[in-house]
Amino acid sequence: LLPLSSVFEIFPRTVRDISRELSKEVFLSLDGGHITVDKLIIEEMKDPLMHLVRNSLDHGIETREERVAAGKSNPAKIHIGGKMVNQMVVVE
């Protein structure tokens, strides 16, 4: 078993680098890193989660100017969290 933090730890740098590249301001929050999951599941989660994070930065978050014009808060927020629900691990 490995903690979810072992997969979550790759996201702060990824979000920082991509958001700079795209000129977008993003706050990333991570929660539930202490929850343990089978190592094979952790390995299988990395690529799909990375894809979701990249897509959210590329297509789901506007630039600072667009967010301000739309009346949205800045920086944008991405939250990745893990929790136990009925003996299942849920990542959202």
Side-chain angles (χ1 to χ4, degrees):
L1 295 176
L2 293 173
L4 283 175
S5 61
S6 63
V7 72
F8 288 175
E9 68 189 12
I10 63 175
F11 295 112
R13 181 176 180 169
T14 300
V15 168
R16 183 187 69 231
D17 292 348
I18 295 173
S19 63
R20 281 185 187 162
E21 178 183 319
L22 299 173
S23 299
K24 297 179 179 181
E25 295 180 30
V26 181
F27 175 77
L28 173 68
S29 65
L30 301 169
D31 193 27
H34 64 283
I35 295 172
T36 56
V37 181
D38 186 87
K39 181 181 177 183
L40 293 173
I41 294 172
I42 291 283
E43 289 300 319
E44 292 295 320
M45 288 173 55
K46 284 183 182 178
D47 289 341
L49 281 173
M50 182 62 72
H51 181 76
L52 289 171
V53 169
R54 286 180 184 272
N55 275 352
S56 68
L57 286 161
D58 197 29
H59 304 293
I61 295 174
E62 306 90 341
T63 63
R64 176 184 196 25
E65 295 78 22
E66 292 169 327
R67 291 186 69 77
V68 169
K72 295 181 178 181
S73 64
N74 202 51
K77 297 177 181 103
I78 295 177
H79 175 77
I80 302 172
K83 61 184 176 181
M84 293 293 296
V85 176
N86 297 329
Q87 297 188 8
M88 293 186 303
V89 175
V90 176
V91 177
E92 50 187 18

PDB file of all heavy atoms in Angstrom, residues 28-65:
ATOM      1  N   LEU A  28      -3.669  25.339  -6.655  1.00  0.00           N
ATOM      2  CA  LEU A  28      -3.912  23.905  -6.539  1.00  0.00           C
ATOM      3  C   LEU A  28      -4.002  23.523  -5.072  1.00  0.00           C
ATOM      4  O   LEU A  28      -3.127  23.880  -4.281  1.00  0.00           O
ATOM      5  CB  LEU A  28      -2.775  23.118  -7.202  1.00  0.00           C
ATOM      6  CG  LEU A  28      -2.800  21.603  -7.014  1.00  0.00           C
ATOM      7  CD1 LEU A  28      -3.983  20.981  -7.756  1.00  0.00           C
ATOM      8  CD2 LEU A  28      -1.493  20.997  -7.495  1.00  0.00           C
ATOM      9  N   SER A  29      -5.052  22.799  -4.720  1.00  0.00           N
ATOM     10  CA  SER A  29      -5.135  22.253  -3.370  1.00  0.00           C
ATOM     11  C   SER A  29      -5.250  20.736  -3.457  1.00  0.00           C
ATOM     12  O   SER A  29      -5.911  20.201  -4.342  1.00  0.00           O
ATOM     13  CB  SER A  29      -6.320  22.844  -2.597  1.00  0.00           C
ATOM     14  OG  SER A  29      -7.540  22.477  -3.185  1.00  0.00           O
ATOM     15  N   LEU A  30      -4.557  20.082  -2.561  1.00  0.00           N
ATOM     16  CA  LEU A  30      -4.537  18.618  -2.506  1.00  0.00           C
ATOM     17  C   LEU A  30      -5.016  18.188  -1.125  1.00  0.00           C
ATOM     18  O   LEU A  30      -4.612  18.776  -0.118  1.00  0.00           O
ATOM     19  CB  LEU A  30      -3.129  18.092  -2.752  1.00  0.00           C
ATOM     20  CG  LEU A  30      -2.494  18.488  -4.083  1.00  0.00           C
ATOM     21  CD1 LEU A  30      -1.020  18.145  -4.099  1.00  0.00           C
ATOM     22  CD2 LEU A  30      -3.212  17.811  -5.231  1.00  0.00           C
ATOM     23  N   ASP A  31      -5.833  17.166  -1.086  1.00  0.00           N
ATOM     24  CA  ASP A  31      -6.401  16.715   0.179  1.00  0.00           C
ATOM     25  C   ASP A  31      -6.495  15.192   0.170  1.00  0.00           C
ATOM     26  O   ASP A  31      -6.767  14.592  -0.869  1.00  0.00           O
ATOM     27  CB  ASP A  31      -7.797  17.324   0.337  1.00  0.00           C
ATOM     28  CG  ASP A  31      -8.356  17.181   1.725  1.00  0.00           C
ATOM     29  OD1 ASP A  31      -7.570  17.102   2.684  1.00  0.00           O
ATOM     30  OD2 ASP A  31      -9.588  17.163   1.855  1.00  0.00           O
ATOM     31  N   GLY A  32      -6.254  14.580   1.291  1.00  0.00           N
ATOM     32  CA  GLY A  32      -6.412  13.136   1.417  1.00  0.00           C
ATOM     33  C   GLY A  32      -5.190  12.331   1.031  1.00  0.00           C
ATOM     34  O   GLY A  32      -5.284  11.136   0.776  1.00  0.00           O
ATOM     35  N   GLY A  33      -4.038  12.969   0.988  1.00  0.00           N
ATOM     36  CA  GLY A  33      -2.812  12.280   0.620  1.00  0.00           C
ATOM     37  C   GLY A  33      -2.415  11.172   1.567  1.00  0.00           C
ATOM     38  O   GLY A  33      -1.624  10.300   1.217  1.00  0.00           O
ATOM     39  N   HIS A  34      -2.973  11.160   2.757  1.00  0.00           N
ATOM     40  CA  HIS A  34      -2.637  10.147   3.763  1.00  0.00           C
ATOM     41  C   HIS A  34      -3.336   8.805   3.528  1.00  0.00           C
ATOM     42  O   HIS A  34      -2.948   7.785   4.082  1.00  0.00           O
ATOM     43  CB  HIS A  34      -3.004  10.673   5.156  1.00  0.00           C
ATOM     44  CG  HIS A  34      -4.479  10.886   5.317  1.00  0.00           C
ATOM     45  ND1 HIS A  34      -5.121  11.985   4.778  1.00  0.00           N
ATOM     46  CD2 HIS A  34      -5.431  10.133   5.909  1.00  0.00           C
ATOM     47  CE1 HIS A  34      -6.415  11.907   5.065  1.00  0.00           C
ATOM     48  NE2 HIS A  34      -6.630  10.795   5.746  1.00  0.00           N
ATOM     49  N   ILE A  35      -4.363   8.792   2.671  1.00  0.00           N
ATOM     50  CA  ILE A  35      -5.115   7.564   2.417  1.00  0.00           C
ATOM     51  C   ILE A  35      -4.248   6.603   1.610  1.00  0.00           C
ATOM     52  O   ILE A  35      -3.614   6.985   0.640  1.00  0.00           O
ATOM     53  CB  ILE A  35      -6.422   7.883   1.664  1.00  0.00           C
ATOM     54  CG1 ILE A  35      -7.313   8.722   2.582  1.00  0.00           C
ATOM     55  CG2 ILE A  35      -7.123   6.617   1.208  1.00  0.00           C
ATOM     56  CD1 ILE A  35      -8.544   9.265   1.915  1.00  0.00           C
ATOM     57  N   THR A  36      -4.233   5.352   2.021  1.00  0.00           N
ATOM     58  CA  THR A  36      -3.382   4.366   1.359  1.00  0.00           C
ATOM     59  C   THR A  36      -4.172   3.529   0.353  1.00  0.00           C
ATOM     60  O   THR A  36      -5.338   3.190   0.575  1.00  0.00           O
ATOM     61  CB  THR A  36      -2.694   3.441   2.379  1.00  0.00           C
ATOM     62  OG1 THR A  36      -3.684   2.810   3.191  1.00  0.00           O
ATOM     63  CG2 THR A  36      -1.723   4.208   3.241  1.00  0.00           C
ATOM     64  N   VAL A  37      -3.491   3.228  -0.746  1.00  0.00           N
ATOM     65  CA  VAL A  37      -4.088   2.488  -1.856  1.00  0.00           C
ATOM     66  C   VAL A  37      -3.051   1.505  -2.374  1.00  0.00           C
ATOM     67  O   VAL A  37      -1.843   1.749  -2.270  1.00  0.00           O
ATOM     68  CB  VAL A  37      -4.506   3.464  -2.983  1.00  0.00           C
ATOM     69  CG1 VAL A  37      -5.144   2.734  -4.139  1.00  0.00           C
ATOM     70  CG2 VAL A  37      -5.444   4.538  -2.462  1.00  0.00           C
ATOM     71  N   ASP A  38      -3.497   0.424  -2.974  1.00  0.00           N
ATOM     72  CA  ASP A  38      -2.602  -0.558  -3.563  1.00  0.00           C
ATOM     73  C   ASP A  38      -1.683   0.116  -4.583  1.00  0.00           C
ATOM     74  O   ASP A  38      -2.109   0.976  -5.353  1.00  0.00           O
ATOM     75  CB  ASP A  38      -3.424  -1.655  -4.229  1.00  0.00           C
ATOM     76  CG  ASP A  38      -2.559  -2.781  -4.744  1.00  0.00           C
ATOM     77  OD1 ASP A  38      -2.268  -3.707  -3.968  1.00  0.00           O
ATOM     78  OD2 ASP A  38      -2.162  -2.708  -5.929  1.00  0.00           O
ATOM     79  N   LYS A  39      -0.441  -0.308  -4.612  1.00  0.00           N
ATOM     80  CA  LYS A  39       0.576   0.292  -5.489  1.00  0.00           C
ATOM     81  C   LYS A  39       0.171   0.233  -6.960  1.00  0.00           C
ATOM     82  O   LYS A  39       0.390   1.184  -7.706  1.00  0.00           O
ATOM     83  CB  LYS A  39       1.915  -0.410  -5.289  1.00  0.00           C
ATOM     84  CG  LYS A  39       3.025   0.155  -6.127  1.00  0.00           C
ATOM     85  CD  LYS A  39       4.327  -0.579  -5.912  1.00  0.00           C
ATOM     86  CE  LYS A  39       5.390   0.001  -6.838  1.00  0.00           C
ATOM     87  NZ  LYS A  39       6.651  -0.700  -6.726  1.00  0.00           N
ATOM     88  N   LEU A  40      -0.419  -0.862  -7.394  1.00  0.00           N
ATOM     89  CA  LEU A  40      -0.837  -0.992  -8.796  1.00  0.00           C
ATOM     90  C   LEU A  40      -1.905   0.039  -9.165  1.00  0.00           C
ATOM     91  O   LEU A  40      -1.895   0.594 -10.266  1.00  0.00           O
ATOM     92  CB  LEU A  40      -1.340  -2.406  -9.077  1.00  0.00           C
ATOM     93  CG  LEU A  40      -0.295  -3.513  -8.994  1.00  0.00           C
ATOM     94  CD1 LEU A  40      -0.944  -4.881  -9.135  1.00  0.00           C
ATOM     95  CD2 LEU A  40       0.780  -3.309 -10.042  1.00  0.00           C
ATOM     96  N   ILE A  41      -2.808   0.303  -8.248  1.00  0.00           N
ATOM     97  CA  ILE A  41      -3.853   1.299  -8.488  1.00  0.00           C
ATOM     98  C   ILE A  41      -3.232   2.686  -8.582  1.00  0.00           C
ATOM     99  O   ILE A  41      -3.588   3.479  -9.455  1.00  0.00           O
ATOM    100  CB  ILE A  41      -4.947   1.232  -7.401  1.00  0.00           C
ATOM    101  CG1 ILE A  41      -5.687  -0.097  -7.517  1.00  0.00           C
ATOM    102  CG2 ILE A  41      -5.900   2.417  -7.513  1.00  0.00           C
ATOM    103  CD1 ILE A  41      -6.656  -0.380  -6.408  1.00  0.00           C
ATOM    104  N   ILE A  42      -2.292   2.972  -7.698  1.00  0.00           N
ATOM    105  CA  ILE A  42      -1.579   4.259  -7.737  1.00  0.00           C
ATOM    106  C   ILE A  42      -0.938   4.457  -9.110  1.00  0.00           C
ATOM    107  O   ILE A  42      -1.055   5.516  -9.723  1.00  0.00           O
ATOM    108  CB  ILE A  42      -0.508   4.333  -6.628  1.00  0.00           C
ATOM    109  CG1 ILE A  42      -1.142   4.411  -5.247  1.00  0.00           C
ATOM    110  CG2 ILE A  42       0.449   5.492  -6.855  1.00  0.00           C
ATOM    111  CD1 ILE A  42      -1.699   5.732  -4.848  1.00  0.00           C
ATOM    112  N   GLU A  43      -0.264   3.437  -9.599  1.00  0.00           N
ATOM    113  CA  GLU A  43       0.411   3.538 -10.902  1.00  0.00           C
ATOM    114  C   GLU A  43      -0.590   3.756 -12.039  1.00  0.00           C
ATOM    115  O   GLU A  43      -0.319   4.521 -12.961  1.00  0.00           O
ATOM    116  CB  GLU A  43       1.246   2.277 -11.167  1.00  0.00           C
ATOM    117  CG  GLU A  43       2.476   2.166 -10.302  1.00  0.00           C
ATOM    118  CD  GLU A  43       3.439   3.336 -10.486  1.00  0.00           C
ATOM    119  OE1 GLU A  43       3.653   3.773 -11.638  1.00  0.00           O
ATOM    120  OE2 GLU A  43       3.966   3.826  -9.483  1.00  0.00           O
ATOM    121  N   GLU A  44      -1.738   3.087 -11.963  1.00  0.00           N
ATOM    122  CA  GLU A  44      -2.750   3.224 -13.011  1.00  0.00           C
ATOM    123  C   GLU A  44      -3.464   4.569 -12.963  1.00  0.00           C
ATOM    124  O   GLU A  44      -4.040   5.003 -13.961  1.00  0.00           O
ATOM    125  CB  GLU A  44      -3.776   2.088 -12.914  1.00  0.00           C
ATOM    126  CG  GLU A  44      -3.220   0.723 -13.259  1.00  0.00           C
ATOM    127  CD  GLU A  44      -2.789   0.612 -14.711  1.00  0.00           C
ATOM    128  OE1 GLU A  44      -3.480   1.141 -15.596  1.00  0.00           O
ATOM    129  OE2 GLU A  44      -1.736  -0.005 -14.955  1.00  0.00           O
ATOM    130  N   MET A  45      -3.446   5.241 -11.816  1.00  0.00           N
ATOM    131  CA  MET A  45      -4.129   6.524 -11.652  1.00  0.00           C
ATOM    132  C   MET A  45      -3.342   7.698 -12.228  1.00  0.00           C
ATOM    133  O   MET A  45      -3.935   8.709 -12.607  1.00  0.00           O
ATOM    134  CB  MET A  45      -4.360   6.816 -10.157  1.00  0.00           C
ATOM    135  CG  MET A  45      -5.395   5.982  -9.505  1.00  0.00           C
ATOM    136  SD  MET A  45      -5.458   6.260  -7.723  1.00  0.00           S
ATOM    137  CE  MET A  45      -5.698   8.006  -7.619  1.00  0.00           C
ATOM    138  N   LYS A  46      -2.039   7.587 -12.273  1.00  0.00           N
ATOM    139  CA  LYS A  46      -1.201   8.730 -12.631  1.00  0.00           C
ATOM    140  C   LYS A  46      -1.553   9.338 -13.979  1.00  0.00           C
ATOM    141  O   LYS A  46      -1.787  10.546 -14.080  1.00  0.00           O
ATOM    142  CB  LYS A  46       0.279   8.344 -12.608  1.00  0.00           C
ATOM    143  CG  LYS A  46       0.841   8.230 -11.228  1.00  0.00           C
ATOM    144  CD  LYS A  46       2.322   7.912 -11.262  1.00  0.00           C
ATOM    145  CE  LYS A  46       2.837   7.764  -9.842  1.00  0.00           C
ATOM    146  NZ  LYS A  46       4.253   7.415  -9.822  1.00  0.00           N
ATOM    147  N   ASP A  47      -1.578   8.548 -15.027  1.00  0.00           N
ATOM    148  CA  ASP A  47      -1.826   9.082 -16.365  1.00  0.00           C
ATOM    149  C   ASP A  47      -3.224   9.675 -16.530  1.00  0.00           C
ATOM    150  O   ASP A  47      -3.356  10.787 -17.055  1.00  0.00           O
ATOM    151  CB  ASP A  47      -1.548   8.032 -17.431  1.00  0.00           C
ATOM    152  CG  ASP A  47      -0.063   7.746 -17.589  1.00  0.00           C
ATOM    153  OD1 ASP A  47       0.774   8.573 -17.161  1.00  0.00           O
ATOM    154  OD2 ASP A  47       0.274   6.672 -18.135  1.00  0.00           O
ATOM    155  N   PRO A  48      -4.290   8.991 -16.090  1.00  0.00           N
ATOM    156  CA  PRO A  48      -5.622   9.605 -16.223  1.00  0.00           C
ATOM    157  C   PRO A  48      -5.762  10.904 -15.423  1.00  0.00           C
ATOM    158  O   PRO A  48      -6.350  11.873 -15.913  1.00  0.00           O
ATOM    159  CB  PRO A  48      -6.576   8.532 -15.694  1.00  0.00           C
ATOM    160  CG  PRO A  48      -5.847   7.249 -15.850  1.00  0.00           C
ATOM    161  CD  PRO A  48      -4.399   7.589 -15.645  1.00  0.00           C
ATOM    162  N   LEU A  49      -5.215  10.944 -14.216  1.00  0.00           N
ATOM    163  CA  LEU A  49      -5.283  12.171 -13.432  1.00  0.00           C
ATOM    164  C   LEU A  49      -4.485  13.289 -14.084  1.00  0.00           C
ATOM    165  O   LEU A  49      -4.919  14.444 -14.117  1.00  0.00           O
ATOM    166  CB  LEU A  49      -4.790  11.941 -11.997  1.00  0.00           C
ATOM    167  CG  LEU A  49      -5.774  11.269 -11.056  1.00  0.00           C
ATOM    168  CD1 LEU A  49      -5.102  10.953  -9.723  1.00  0.00           C
ATOM    169  CD2 LEU A  49      -6.999  12.129 -10.843  1.00  0.00           C
ATOM    170  N   MET A  50      -3.326  12.960 -14.607  1.00  0.00           N
ATOM    171  CA  MET A  50      -2.517  13.962 -15.296  1.00  0.00           C
ATOM    172  C   MET A  50      -3.271  14.506 -16.507  1.00  0.00           C
ATOM    173  O   MET A  50      -3.258  15.712 -16.764  1.00  0.00           O
ATOM    174  CB  MET A  50      -1.170  13.365 -15.725  1.00  0.00           C
ATOM    175  CG  MET A  50      -0.267  14.362 -16.396  1.00  0.00           C
ATOM    176  SD  MET A  50       0.197  15.740 -15.323  1.00  0.00           S
ATOM    177  CE  MET A  50       1.315  14.905 -14.207  1.00  0.00           C
ATOM    178  N   HIS A  51      -3.934  13.642 -17.230  1.00  0.00           N
ATOM    179  CA  HIS A  51      -4.716  14.070 -18.387  1.00  0.00           C
ATOM    180  C   HIS A  51      -5.816  15.047 -17.962  1.00  0.00           C
ATOM    181  O   HIS A  51      -6.030  16.086 -18.617  1.00  0.00           O
ATOM    182  CB  HIS A  51      -5.315  12.844 -19.078  1.00  0.00           C
ATOM    183  CG  HIS A  51      -6.110  13.161 -20.298  1.00  0.00           C
ATOM    184  ND1 HIS A  51      -5.529  13.501 -21.493  1.00  0.00           N
ATOM    185  CD2 HIS A  51      -7.448  13.197 -20.493  1.00  0.00           C
ATOM    186  CE1 HIS A  51      -6.480  13.748 -22.378  1.00  0.00           C
ATOM    187  NE2 HIS A  51      -7.650  13.556 -21.794  1.00  0.00           N
ATOM    188  N   LEU A  52      -6.517  14.734 -16.888  1.00  0.00           N
ATOM    189  CA  LEU A  52      -7.579  15.616 -16.391  1.00  0.00           C
ATOM    190  C   LEU A  52      -7.035  16.969 -15.961  1.00  0.00           C
ATOM    191  O   LEU A  52      -7.634  18.013 -16.252  1.00  0.00           O
ATOM    192  CB  LEU A  52      -8.310  14.953 -15.221  1.00  0.00           C
ATOM    193  CG  LEU A  52      -9.194  13.770 -15.570  1.00  0.00           C
ATOM    194  CD1 LEU A  52      -9.669  13.069 -14.301  1.00  0.00           C
ATOM    195  CD2 LEU A  52     -10.377  14.219 -16.406  1.00  0.00           C
ATOM    196  N   VAL A  53      -5.904  16.957 -15.276  1.00  0.00           N
ATOM    197  CA  VAL A  53      -5.309  18.218 -14.818  1.00  0.00           C
ATOM    198  C   VAL A  53      -4.859  19.066 -16.013  1.00  0.00           C
ATOM    199  O   VAL A  53      -5.129  20.259 -16.083  1.00  0.00           O
ATOM    200  CB  VAL A  53      -4.143  17.955 -13.837  1.00  0.00           C
ATOM    201  CG1 VAL A  53      -3.355  19.217 -13.575  1.00  0.00           C
ATOM    202  CG2 VAL A  53      -4.677  17.380 -12.530  1.00  0.00           C
ATOM    203  N   ARG A  54      -4.193  18.440 -16.965  1.00  0.00           N
ATOM    204  CA  ARG A  54      -3.741  19.172 -18.165  1.00  0.00           C
ATOM    205  C   ARG A  54      -4.924  19.752 -18.939  1.00  0.00           C
ATOM    206  O   ARG A  54      -4.889  20.897 -19.384  1.00  0.00           O
ATOM    207  CB  ARG A  54      -2.929  18.258 -19.075  1.00  0.00           C
ATOM    208  CG  ARG A  54      -1.551  17.962 -18.557  1.00  0.00           C
ATOM    209  CD  ARG A  54      -0.809  17.039 -19.536  1.00  0.00           C
ATOM    210  NE  ARG A  54       0.480  16.670 -19.017  1.00  0.00           N
ATOM    211  CZ  ARG A  54       1.595  17.378 -19.203  1.00  0.00           C
ATOM    212  NH1 ARG A  54       1.568  18.494 -19.877  1.00  0.00           N
ATOM    213  NH2 ARG A  54       2.735  16.957 -18.692  1.00  0.00           N
ATOM    214  N   ASN A  55      -5.980  18.958 -19.108  1.00  0.00           N
ATOM    215  CA  ASN A  55      -7.163  19.449 -19.821  1.00  0.00           C
ATOM    216  C   ASN A  55      -7.844  20.590 -19.072  1.00  0.00           C
ATOM    217  O   ASN A  55      -8.323  21.537 -19.700  1.00  0.00           O
ATOM    218  CB  ASN A  55      -8.159  18.327 -20.066  1.00  0.00           C
ATOM    219  CG  ASN A  55      -7.847  17.541 -21.309  1.00  0.00           C
ATOM    220  OD1 ASN A  55      -6.968  17.899 -22.089  1.00  0.00           O
ATOM    221  ND2 ASN A  55      -8.550  16.444 -21.505  1.00  0.00           N
ATOM    222  N   SER A  56      -7.895  20.503 -17.751  1.00  0.00           N
ATOM    223  CA  SER A  56      -8.526  21.585 -16.996  1.00  0.00           C
ATOM    224  C   SER A  56      -7.742  22.882 -17.153  1.00  0.00           C
ATOM    225  O   SER A  56      -8.324  23.954 -17.284  1.00  0.00           O
ATOM    226  CB  SER A  56      -8.681  21.215 -15.522  1.00  0.00           C
ATOM    227  OG  SER A  56      -7.428  21.139 -14.877  1.00  0.00           O
ATOM    228  N   LEU A  57      -6.420  22.777 -17.170  1.00  0.00           N
ATOM    229  CA  LEU A  57      -5.596  23.970 -17.366  1.00  0.00           C
ATOM    230  C   LEU A  57      -5.715  24.507 -18.788  1.00  0.00           C
ATOM    231  O   LEU A  57      -5.814  25.719 -19.002  1.00  0.00           O
ATOM    232  CB  LEU A  57      -4.131  23.654 -17.066  1.00  0.00           C
ATOM    233  CG  LEU A  57      -3.787  23.495 -15.601  1.00  0.00           C
ATOM    234  CD1 LEU A  57      -2.480  22.746 -15.429  1.00  0.00           C
ATOM    235  CD2 LEU A  57      -3.716  24.855 -14.935  1.00  0.00           C
ATOM    236  N   ASP A  58      -5.714  23.624 -19.741  1.00  0.00           N
ATOM    237  CA  ASP A  58      -5.717  24.035 -21.138  1.00  0.00           C
ATOM    238  C   ASP A  58      -7.082  24.534 -21.596  1.00  0.00           C
ATOM    239  O   ASP A  58      -7.178  25.554 -22.273  1.00  0.00           O
ATOM    240  CB  ASP A  58      -5.263  22.854 -22.002  1.00  0.00           C
ATOM    241  CG  ASP A  58      -4.844  23.275 -23.385  1.00  0.00           C
ATOM    242  OD1 ASP A  58      -4.369  24.421 -23.552  1.00  0.00           O
ATOM    243  OD2 ASP A  58      -4.966  22.456 -24.305  1.00  0.00           O
ATOM    244  N   HIS A  59      -8.151  23.831 -21.221  1.00  0.00           N
ATOM    245  CA  HIS A  59      -9.474  24.133 -21.757  1.00  0.00           C
ATOM    246  C   HIS A  59     -10.476  24.674 -20.740  1.00  0.00           C
ATOM    247  O   HIS A  59     -11.470  25.278 -21.145  1.00  0.00           O
ATOM    248  CB  HIS A  59     -10.078  22.873 -22.386  1.00  0.00           C
ATOM    249  CG  HIS A  59      -9.214  22.263 -23.435  1.00  0.00           C
ATOM    250  ND1 HIS A  59      -8.948  22.871 -24.632  1.00  0.00           N
ATOM    251  CD2 HIS A  59      -8.530  21.089 -23.462  1.00  0.00           C
ATOM    252  CE1 HIS A  59      -8.149  22.107 -25.358  1.00  0.00           C
ATOM    253  NE2 HIS A  59      -7.872  21.013 -24.669  1.00  0.00           N
ATOM    254  N   GLY A  60     -10.249  24.449 -19.468  1.00  0.00           N
ATOM    255  CA  GLY A  60     -11.261  24.808 -18.481  1.00  0.00           C
ATOM    256  C   GLY A  60     -10.992  26.079 -17.696  1.00  0.00           C
ATOM    257  O   GLY A  60     -11.876  26.574 -17.007  1.00  0.00           O
ATOM    258  N   ILE A  61      -9.803  26.610 -17.813  1.00  0.00           N
ATOM    259  CA  ILE A  61      -9.436  27.798 -17.037  1.00  0.00           C
ATOM    260  C   ILE A  61      -9.047  28.912 -17.999  1.00  0.00           C
ATOM    261  O   ILE A  61      -8.239  28.718 -18.903  1.00  0.00           O
ATOM    262  CB  ILE A  61      -8.284  27.487 -16.060  1.00  0.00           C
ATOM    263  CG1 ILE A  61      -8.767  26.467 -15.030  1.00  0.00           C
ATOM    264  CG2 ILE A  61      -7.788  28.749 -15.390  1.00  0.00           C
ATOM    265  CD1 ILE A  61      -7.704  25.975 -14.093  1.00  0.00           C
ATOM    266  N   GLU A  62      -9.642  30.067 -17.776  1.00  0.00           N
ATOM    267  CA  GLU A  62      -9.377  31.213 -18.618  1.00  0.00           C
ATOM    268  C   GLU A  62      -8.136  31.963 -18.143  1.00  0.00           C
ATOM    269  O   GLU A  62      -7.659  31.753 -17.035  1.00  0.00           O
ATOM    270  CB  GLU A  62     -10.565  32.196 -18.572  1.00  0.00           C
ATOM    271  CG  GLU A  62     -11.904  31.577 -18.908  1.00  0.00           C
ATOM    272  CD  GLU A  62     -12.633  31.038 -17.698  1.00  0.00           C
ATOM    273  OE1 GLU A  62     -12.019  30.794 -16.635  1.00  0.00           O
ATOM    274  OE2 GLU A  62     -13.853  30.832 -17.814  1.00  0.00           O
ATOM    275  N   THR A  63      -7.650  32.883 -18.977  1.00  0.00           N
ATOM    276  CA  THR A  63      -6.554  33.760 -18.562  1.00  0.00           C
ATOM    277  C   THR A  63      -7.076  34.721 -17.506  1.00  0.00           C
ATOM    278  O   THR A  63      -8.288  34.862 -17.308  1.00  0.00           O
ATOM    279  CB  THR A  63      -6.007  34.574 -19.748  1.00  0.00           C
ATOM    280  OG1 THR A  63      -7.046  35.425 -20.238  1.00  0.00           O
ATOM    281  CG2 THR A  63      -5.484  33.672 -20.849  1.00  0.00           C
ATOM    282  N   ARG A  64      -6.163  35.387 -16.838  1.00  0.00           N
ATOM    283  CA  ARG A  64      -6.531  36.350 -15.792  1.00  0.00           C
ATOM    284  C   ARG A  64      -7.516  37.385 -16.322  1.00  0.00           C
ATOM    285  O   ARG A  64      -8.534  37.680 -15.696  1.00  0.00           O
ATOM    286  CB  ARG A  64      -5.275  37.039 -15.260  1.00  0.00           C
ATOM    287  CG  ARG A  64      -5.531  38.120 -14.231  1.00  0.00           C
ATOM    288  CD  ARG A  64      -4.203  38.773 -13.870  1.00  0.00           C
ATOM    289  NE  ARG A  64      -4.032  39.574 -12.725  1.00  0.00           N
ATOM    290  CZ  ARG A  64      -4.662  39.610 -11.580  1.00  0.00           C
ATOM    291  NH1 ARG A  64      -5.653  38.816 -11.363  1.00  0.00           N
ATOM    292  NH2 ARG A  64      -4.334  40.415 -10.600  1.00  0.00           N
ATOM    293  N   GLU A  65      -7.238  37.932 -17.490  1.00  0.00           N
ATOM    294  CA  GLU A  65      -8.084  38.973 -18.061  1.00  0.00           C
ATOM    295  C   GLU A  65      -9.488  38.450 -18.358  1.00  0.00           C
ATOM    296  O   GLU A  65     -10.490  39.128 -18.101  1.00  0.00           O
ATOM    297  CB  GLU A  65      -7.450  39.527 -19.338  1.00  0.00           C
ATOM    298  CG  GLU A  65      -6.137  40.243 -19.128  1.00  0.00           C
ATOM    299  CD  GLU A  65      -4.941  39.305 -18.936  1.00  0.00           C
ATOM    300  OE1 GLU A  65      -4.993  38.118 -19.366  1.00  0.00           O
ATOM    301  OE2 GLU A  65      -3.954  39.749 -18.314  1.00  0.00           O
TER     302      GLU A  65
END
